[in-house]
Amino acid sequence: MKPMTRSSDRELILFANEAFYSAFATGDVDAMGRVWSSESPCVCLHPGVMPLYGRDDIMESWEHILADPSISEIIAHSPRVIELGAFALVTCYEHLSGGSLVATNGFVREDGLWRMVSHQAGPCTDAPEPDEDGEEDEEPRLH
Amino acid sequence: MKPMTRSSDRELILFANEAFYSAFATGDVDAMGRVWSSESPCVCLHPGVMPLYGRDDIMESWEHILADPSISEIIAHSPRVIELGAFALVTCYEHLSGGSLVATNGFVREDGLWRMVSHQAGPCTDAPEPDEDGEEDEEPRLH
Protein backbone atom coordinates (compact mmCIF):
# COMPACT_ATOMS: atom_id res chain seq x y z
CA MET A 1 0.00 0.00 0.00
CA LYS A 2 1.52 3.28 -1.08
CA PRO A 3 0.58 6.42 0.84
CA MET A 4 -1.83 8.58 -1.12
CA THR A 5 -2.47 12.24 -0.87
CA ARG A 6 -5.28 12.35 -3.42
CA SER A 7 -7.17 9.51 -5.01
CA SER A 8 -7.01 9.29 -8.77
CA ASP A 9 -10.14 8.60 -10.77
CA ARG A 10 -8.82 5.14 -11.46
CA GLU A 11 -8.52 4.44 -7.74
CA LEU A 12 -12.00 5.80 -7.12
CA ILE A 13 -13.41 3.63 -9.92
CA LEU A 14 -11.74 0.53 -8.45
CA PHE A 15 -13.12 1.53 -5.06
CA ALA A 16 -16.66 1.74 -6.51
CA ASN A 17 -16.19 -1.67 -8.10
CA GLU A 18 -15.02 -3.10 -4.77
CA ALA A 19 -18.01 -1.52 -3.03
CA PHE A 20 -20.30 -3.37 -5.43
CA TYR A 21 -18.73 -6.74 -4.60
CA SER A 22 -18.58 -5.94 -0.91
CA ALA A 23 -22.33 -5.21 -0.91
CA PHE A 24 -22.84 -8.45 -2.85
CA ALA A 25 -20.69 -10.57 -0.50
CA THR A 26 -22.18 -9.15 2.69
CA GLY A 27 -25.77 -9.17 1.41
CA ASP A 28 -26.10 -5.48 2.21
CA VAL A 29 -29.02 -4.11 0.18
CA ASP A 30 -28.56 -0.56 1.46
CA ALA A 31 -24.91 -0.56 0.42
CA MET A 32 -25.91 -1.99 -2.97
CA GLY A 33 -28.37 0.87 -3.29
CA ARG A 34 -25.58 3.39 -2.70
CA VAL A 35 -23.40 1.71 -5.33
CA TRP A 36 -25.97 2.18 -8.12
CA SER A 37 -26.70 5.59 -9.61
CA SER A 38 -29.91 7.36 -8.66
CA GLU A 39 -29.53 9.99 -11.37
CA SER A 40 -28.58 8.14 -14.55
CA PRO A 41 -30.37 5.42 -16.51
CA CYS A 42 -29.15 1.97 -15.48
CA VAL A 43 -29.13 -1.54 -16.90
CA CYS A 44 -28.32 -4.84 -15.20
CA LEU A 45 -27.78 -8.16 -16.97
CA HIS A 46 -27.75 -11.01 -14.51
CA PRO A 47 -26.33 -14.23 -16.02
CA GLY A 48 -28.59 -16.00 -18.50
CA VAL A 49 -31.66 -13.80 -18.28
CA MET A 50 -33.14 -10.72 -19.92
CA PRO A 51 -31.77 -7.28 -19.00
CA LEU A 52 -33.36 -5.21 -16.25
CA TYR A 53 -33.75 -1.50 -16.97
CA GLY A 54 -34.03 1.24 -14.38
CA ARG A 55 -33.01 1.50 -10.76
CA ASP A 56 -36.30 0.20 -9.29
CA ASP A 57 -36.32 -3.13 -11.15
CA ILE A 58 -32.58 -3.55 -10.64
CA MET A 59 -32.74 -2.97 -6.89
CA GLU A 60 -35.72 -5.32 -6.60
CA SER A 61 -33.61 -8.04 -8.23
CA TRP A 62 -30.74 -7.40 -5.80
CA GLU A 63 -33.12 -7.63 -2.85
CA HIS A 64 -34.03 -11.16 -3.99
CA ILE A 65 -30.44 -12.15 -4.78
CA LEU A 66 -28.95 -10.79 -1.57
CA ALA A 67 -31.63 -12.53 0.52
CA ASP A 68 -30.22 -15.89 -0.70
CA PRO A 69 -27.18 -16.66 1.47
CA SER A 70 -25.81 -19.25 -0.98
CA ILE A 71 -25.32 -16.64 -3.68
CA SER A 72 -23.29 -14.28 -1.52
CA GLU A 73 -20.25 -16.57 -1.73
CA ILE A 74 -18.45 -14.47 -4.33
CA ILE A 75 -14.83 -13.58 -4.92
CA ALA A 76 -14.13 -10.87 -7.49
CA HIS A 77 -10.60 -10.50 -8.77
CA SER A 78 -8.31 -9.07 -11.44
CA PRO A 79 -10.21 -5.85 -12.13
CA ARG A 80 -9.14 -3.79 -15.13
CA VAL A 81 -10.30 -0.22 -15.63
CA ILE A 82 -11.16 1.32 -18.99
CA GLU A 83 -11.40 5.09 -18.45
CA LEU A 84 -13.62 6.99 -20.90
CA GLY A 85 -13.89 10.49 -19.48
CA ALA A 86 -16.85 10.75 -17.12
CA PHE A 87 -17.63 7.10 -17.81
CA ALA A 88 -15.64 4.00 -16.95
CA LEU A 89 -15.86 0.28 -17.46
CA VAL A 90 -14.33 -2.29 -15.13
CA THR A 91 -13.90 -5.90 -16.18
CA CYS A 92 -13.24 -8.56 -13.57
CA TYR A 93 -13.79 -12.22 -12.83
CA GLU A 94 -16.37 -13.46 -10.36
CA HIS A 95 -15.81 -16.79 -8.63
CA LEU A 96 -19.03 -18.28 -7.25
CA SER A 97 -19.82 -21.76 -5.99
CA GLY A 98 -21.43 -22.60 -9.35
CA GLY A 99 -18.45 -21.58 -11.48
CA SER A 100 -16.63 -18.58 -12.85
CA LEU A 101 -18.10 -15.56 -14.52
CA VAL A 102 -16.61 -12.57 -16.26
CA ALA A 103 -18.28 -9.23 -15.64
CA THR A 104 -18.26 -5.74 -17.07
CA ASN A 105 -19.36 -2.99 -14.71
CA GLY A 106 -20.09 0.53 -15.95
CA PHE A 107 -19.73 3.64 -13.79
CA VAL A 108 -20.48 7.31 -14.26
CA ARG A 109 -18.90 10.19 -12.34
CA GLU A 110 -21.58 12.10 -10.43
CA ASP A 111 -20.52 14.94 -8.13
CA GLY A 112 -17.06 13.44 -7.78
CA LEU A 113 -18.32 9.95 -6.94
CA TRP A 114 -18.44 7.00 -9.30
CA ARG A 115 -21.83 5.29 -9.41
CA MET A 116 -22.73 2.05 -11.15
CA VAL A 117 -24.96 2.30 -14.22
CA SER A 118 -24.42 -1.12 -15.78
CA HIS A 119 -23.51 -4.67 -14.84
CA GLN A 120 -23.28 -7.70 -17.07
CA ALA A 121 -21.97 -11.08 -15.94
CA GLY A 122 -21.68 -14.21 -18.04
CA PRO A 123 -19.91 -17.56 -17.97
CA CYS A 124 -16.17 -17.70 -18.61
CA THR A 125 -14.75 -21.16 -19.23
CA ASP A 126 -11.11 -20.04 -19.18
CA ALA A 127 -11.25 -17.65 -16.22
CA PRO A 128 -8.02 -17.61 -14.22
CA GLU A 129 -8.10 -18.60 -10.56
CA PRO A 130 -8.02 -15.67 -8.13
CA ASP A 131 -4.34 -16.29 -7.36
CA GLU A 132 -3.31 -17.08 -10.96
CA ASP A 133 -3.79 -13.66 -12.37
CA GLY A 134 -1.80 -10.65 -11.24
CA GLU A 135 -3.41 -7.68 -9.60
CA GLU A 136 -4.38 -4.99 -12.02
CA ASP A 137 -1.55 -2.77 -10.77
CA GLU A 138 0.93 -5.31 -12.08
CA GLU A 139 -0.62 -5.42 -15.52
CA PRO A 140 0.06 -2.98 -18.30
CA ARG A 141 -2.15 0.08 -18.19
CA LEU A 142 -4.58 0.43 -21.04
CA HIS A 143 -3.69 4.01 -21.78
CA MET B 1 -40.07 5.82 -41.60
CA LYS B 2 -40.57 9.41 -40.60
CA PRO B 3 -38.72 12.08 -42.57
CA MET B 4 -35.78 13.44 -40.58
CA THR B 5 -34.02 16.72 -40.94
CA ARG B 6 -31.36 16.01 -38.32
CA SER B 7 -30.44 12.75 -36.64
CA SER B 8 -30.66 12.65 -32.90
CA ASP B 9 -27.88 11.09 -30.86
CA ARG B 10 -30.16 8.19 -30.12
CA GLU B 11 -30.66 7.54 -33.83
CA LEU B 12 -26.93 7.80 -34.47
CA ILE B 13 -26.23 5.36 -31.61
CA LEU B 14 -28.73 2.87 -33.04
CA PHE B 15 -27.13 3.35 -36.44
CA ALA B 16 -23.69 2.55 -35.00
CA ASN B 17 -25.13 -0.55 -33.34
CA GLU B 18 -26.67 -1.63 -36.66
CA ALA B 19 -23.37 -1.02 -38.42
CA PHE B 20 -21.71 -3.43 -35.97
CA TYR B 21 -24.20 -6.20 -36.75
CA SER B 22 -24.13 -5.45 -40.45
CA ALA B 23 -20.33 -5.85 -40.45
CA PHE B 24 -20.79 -9.07 -38.46
CA ALA B 25 -23.46 -10.50 -40.79
CA THR B 26 -21.61 -9.63 -43.99
CA GLY B 27 -18.20 -10.69 -42.68
CA ASP B 28 -16.79 -7.26 -43.56
CA VAL B 29 -13.60 -6.78 -41.53
CA ASP B 30 -13.00 -3.27 -42.88
CA ALA B 31 -16.49 -2.19 -41.85
CA MET B 32 -15.95 -3.79 -38.43
CA GLY B 33 -12.75 -1.76 -38.14
CA ARG B 34 -14.69 1.44 -38.80
CA VAL B 35 -17.24 0.52 -36.14
CA TRP B 36 -14.64 0.26 -33.36
CA SER B 37 -12.95 3.33 -31.93
CA SER B 38 -9.36 4.05 -32.90
CA GLU B 39 -8.94 6.73 -30.23
CA SER B 40 -10.40 5.30 -27.02
CA PRO B 41 -9.48 2.20 -25.02
CA CYS B 42 -11.67 -0.74 -26.00
CA VAL B 43 -12.71 -4.07 -24.52
CA CYS B 44 -14.46 -7.01 -26.15
CA LEU B 45 -15.95 -10.00 -24.34
CA HIS B 46 -16.83 -12.77 -26.75
CA PRO B 47 -19.13 -15.39 -25.21
CA GLY B 48 -17.47 -17.70 -22.69
CA VAL B 49 -13.90 -16.52 -22.93
CA MET B 50 -11.58 -13.97 -21.33
CA PRO B 51 -11.87 -10.31 -22.32
CA LEU B 52 -9.75 -8.84 -25.09
CA TYR B 53 -8.27 -5.40 -24.42
CA GLY B 54 -7.22 -2.90 -27.05
CA ARG B 55 -8.12 -2.42 -30.69
CA ASP B 56 -5.37 -4.66 -32.11
CA ASP B 57 -6.33 -7.81 -30.21
CA ILE B 58 -10.03 -7.12 -30.71
CA MET B 59 -9.70 -6.67 -34.47
CA GLU B 60 -7.54 -9.81 -34.72
CA SER B 61 -10.36 -11.75 -33.05
CA TRP B 62 -12.90 -10.34 -35.50
CA GLU B 63 -10.71 -11.31 -38.45
CA HIS B 64 -10.89 -14.93 -37.24
CA ILE B 65 -14.61 -14.81 -36.44
CA LEU B 66 -15.63 -13.12 -39.67
CA ALA B 67 -13.60 -15.62 -41.72
CA ASP B 68 -15.93 -18.38 -40.47
CA PRO B 69 -19.07 -18.25 -42.63
CA SER B 70 -21.13 -20.29 -40.17
CA ILE B 71 -20.83 -17.61 -37.50
CA SER B 72 -22.07 -14.79 -39.69
CA GLU B 73 -25.65 -16.08 -39.46
CA ILE B 74 -26.75 -13.51 -36.91
CA ILE B 75 -29.95 -11.58 -36.34
CA ALA B 76 -29.81 -8.75 -33.82
CA HIS B 77 -33.06 -7.32 -32.56
CA SER B 78 -34.83 -5.25 -29.91
CA PRO B 79 -32.06 -2.71 -29.27
CA ARG B 80 -32.48 -0.38 -26.31
CA VAL B 81 -30.34 2.70 -25.85
CA ILE B 82 -29.03 3.98 -22.51
CA GLU B 83 -27.69 7.48 -23.13
CA LEU B 84 -25.01 8.69 -20.71
CA GLY B 85 -23.73 11.95 -22.18
CA ALA B 86 -20.83 11.29 -24.53
CA PHE B 87 -21.15 7.58 -23.78
CA ALA B 88 -23.97 5.19 -24.59
CA LEU B 89 -24.86 1.57 -24.01
CA VAL B 90 -27.07 -0.47 -26.31
CA THR B 91 -28.55 -3.78 -25.20
CA CYS B 92 -29.97 -6.17 -27.77
CA TYR B 93 -30.52 -9.84 -28.46
CA GLU B 94 -28.42 -11.83 -30.88
CA HIS B 95 -29.94 -14.86 -32.56
CA LEU B 96 -27.32 -17.26 -33.92
CA SER B 97 -27.60 -20.84 -35.12
CA GLY B 98 -26.29 -22.07 -31.74
CA GLY B 99 -28.83 -20.18 -29.64
CA SER B 100 -29.68 -16.76 -28.32
CA LEU B 101 -27.37 -14.27 -26.68
CA VAL B 102 -27.92 -10.95 -25.01
CA ALA B 103 -25.35 -8.25 -25.68
CA THR B 104 -24.33 -4.89 -24.31
CA ASN B 105 -22.48 -2.62 -26.70
CA GLY B 106 -20.73 0.55 -25.51
CA PHE B 107 -20.17 3.58 -27.73
CA VAL B 108 -18.37 6.89 -27.32
CA ARG B 109 -19.04 10.06 -29.30
CA GLU B 110 -15.93 11.06 -31.23
CA ASP B 111 -16.11 14.04 -33.58
CA GLY B 112 -19.86 13.65 -33.92
CA LEU B 113 -19.69 9.91 -34.68
CA TRP B 114 -20.43 7.09 -32.27
CA ARG B 115 -17.69 4.47 -32.12
CA MET B 116 -17.79 1.15 -30.32
CA VAL B 117 -15.57 0.78 -27.26
CA SER B 118 -17.10 -2.30 -25.65
CA HIS B 119 -19.00 -5.45 -26.54
CA GLN B 120 -20.11 -8.23 -24.27
CA ALA B 121 -22.36 -11.10 -25.34
CA GLY B 122 -23.54 -13.96 -23.19
CA PRO B 123 -26.22 -16.64 -23.20
CA CYS B 124 -29.85 -15.67 -22.57
CA THR B 125 -32.22 -18.54 -21.91
CA ASP B 126 -35.37 -16.41 -21.96
CA ALA B 127 -34.54 -14.23 -24.96
CA PRO B 128 -37.62 -13.27 -26.98
CA GLU B 129 -37.83 -14.29 -30.62
CA PRO B 130 -37.07 -11.49 -33.10
CA ASP B 131 -40.77 -11.05 -33.87
CA GLU B 132 -41.97 -11.43 -30.27
CA ASP B 133 -40.49 -8.27 -28.93
CA GLY B 134 -41.52 -4.85 -30.16
CA GLU B 135 -39.13 -2.50 -31.86
CA GLU B 136 -37.42 -0.17 -29.46
CA ASP B 137 -39.44 2.74 -30.83
CA GLU B 138 -42.57 1.08 -29.52
CA GLU B 139 -41.15 0.57 -26.05
CA PRO B 140 -41.09 3.17 -23.31
CA ARG B 141 -38.09 5.43 -23.46
CA LEU B 142 -35.65 5.06 -20.60
CA HIS B 143 -35.39 8.75 -19.98
Side-chain angles (χ1 to χ4, degrees), chain A residues 34-52:
Chain A
R34 289 191 293 274
V35 166
W36 284 83
S37 172
S38 299
E39 298 174 22
S40 300
C42 298
V43 62
C44 184
L45 292 89
H46 295 300
V49 294
M50 294 171 74
L52 299 172

Side-chain angles (χ1 to χ4, degrees), chain A residues 48 50 53 87 91 104 120 125, chain B residues 48 53 87 91 104 120 125-126:
Chain A
M50 294 171 74
Y53 302 94
F87 187 85
T91 61
T104 305
Q120 180 170 10
T125 54
Chain B
Y53 302 93
F87 186 85
T91 61
T104 305
Q120 180 170 9
T125 53
D126 59 355

Side-chain angles (χ1 to χ4, degrees), chain B:
Chain B
M1 250 333 243
K2 289 175 288 186
M4 290 184 294
T5 51
R6 186 177 173 276
S7 294
S8 68
D9 266 329
R10 189 174 155 279
E11 287 163 333
L12 293 172
I13 294 159
L14 283 170
F15 179 79
N17 195 61
E18 283 168 20
F20 169 69
Y21 288 105
S22 172
F24 199 147
T26 58
D28 188 334
V29 174
D30 291 339
M32 184 61 85
R34 289 191 293 274
V35 167
W36 284 84
S37 172
S38 299
E39 297 174 22
S40 299
C42 298
V43 62
C44 183
L45 292 90
H46 295 299
V49 295
M50 295 170 72
L52 298 173
Y53 302 93
R55 181 181 170 87
D56 290 350
D57 285 356
I58 292 168
M59 283 310 302
E60 191 181 335
S61 77
W62 285 113
E63 284 170 24
H64 287 289
I65 291 168
L66 300 182
D68 180 347
S70 69
I71 299 183
S72 65
E73 297 288 334
I74 184 169
I75 298 170
H77 69 99
S78 310
R80 287 185 66 148
V81 180
I82 296 106
E83 292 185 66
L84 297 156
F87 186 85
L89 294 168
V90 180
T91 61
C92 59
Y93 300 99
E94 302 178 352
H95 275 262
L96 299 107
S97 55
S100 287
L101 303 173
V102 62
T104 305
N105 301 316
F107 298 90
V108 291
R109 189 171 48 210
E110 291 174 353
D111 300 326
L113 292 173
W114 289 87
R115 302 285 194 187
M116 185 172 266
V117 288
S118 69
H119 168 72
Q120 180 170 9
C124 188
T125 53
D126 59 355
E129 293 296 316
D131 52 0
E132 269 181 31
D133 207 29
E135 291 296 304
E136 204 225 7
D137 283 347
E138 297 167 20
E139 295 184 8
R141 293 287 294 275
L142 291 171
H143 54 108

Side-chain angles (χ1 to χ4, degrees), chain A residues 43-80:
Chain A
V43 62
C44 184
L45 292 89
H46 295 300
V49 294
M50 294 171 74
L52 299 172
Y53 302 94
R55 180 181 171 89
D56 290 351
D57 284 357
I58 292 169
M59 283 310 301
E60 190 181 336
S61 77
W62 284 114
E63 283 170 25
H64 287 290
I65 290 168
L66 300 182
D68 180 346
S70 69
I71 300 182
S72 65
E73 297 289 333
I74 184 168
I75 298 169
H77 70 98
S78 310
R80 287 185 66 149

